[in-house]
Amino acid sequence: MRLPSARWALLGLAVVLLAGYGLNRGVLVGSRIEAARLSDDYPVPFYKKHCRYLFFTGVQQVWTSSESSRAEAEKSSCAALKREPVIHRRHRASSS
């Protein structure tokens, strides 16, 4: 009877590790498109796409792209995981 409980423990550990990895990298939870202008002298709007990612520390919004039309901004995609993690691994410089 001990073998099935070890499998559940291993599965639980894998789930916790994957959740931790995802929350460190940032899991996509949504996006929104915002109309913006460069200045009052340049009234032509452009559209910015913001992607929202869930981290250990909360939700962070990242500006991903700007397009000339709303349809083009909607077509641009957000990565499922953010590129930069919250917790960075420190690398030592090699002494060679």
Side-chain angles (χ1 to χ4, degrees):
M1 285 288 179
R2 203 164 162 89
L3 189 60
S5 63
R7 286 183 186 165
W8 282 111
L10 188 60
L11 178 63
L13 179 64
V15 167
V16 168
L17 288 176
L18 285 173
Y21 176 77
L23 288 175
N24 184 40
R25 291 286 305 272
V27 178
L28 179 67
V29 292
S31 65
R32 70 180 180 92
I33 297 173
E34 172 185 283
R37 293 188 323 188
L38 291 175
S39 69
D40 291 335
D41 297 332
Y42 189 76
V44 178
F46 63 97
Y47 298 89
K48 299 191 305 186
K49 184 163 190 173
H50 299 274
C51 300
R52 291 186 307 273
Y53 292 93
L54 176 65
F55 289 95
F56 289 113
T57 56
V59 177
Q60 180 184 23
Q61 184 168 278
V62 179
W63 173 46
T64 57
S65 66
S66 62
E67 303 292 342
S68 58
S69 73
R70 186 173 186 89
E72 289 176 4
E74 288 174 355
K75 286 181 189 175
S76 65
S77 62
C78 298
L81 294 176
K82 190 170 178 273
R83 289 182 183 85
E84 303 88 27
V86 172
I87 302 170
H88 298 280
R89 295 174 61 193
R90 297 182 188 262
H91 297 285
R92 293 185 179 180
S94 61
S95 59
S96 46

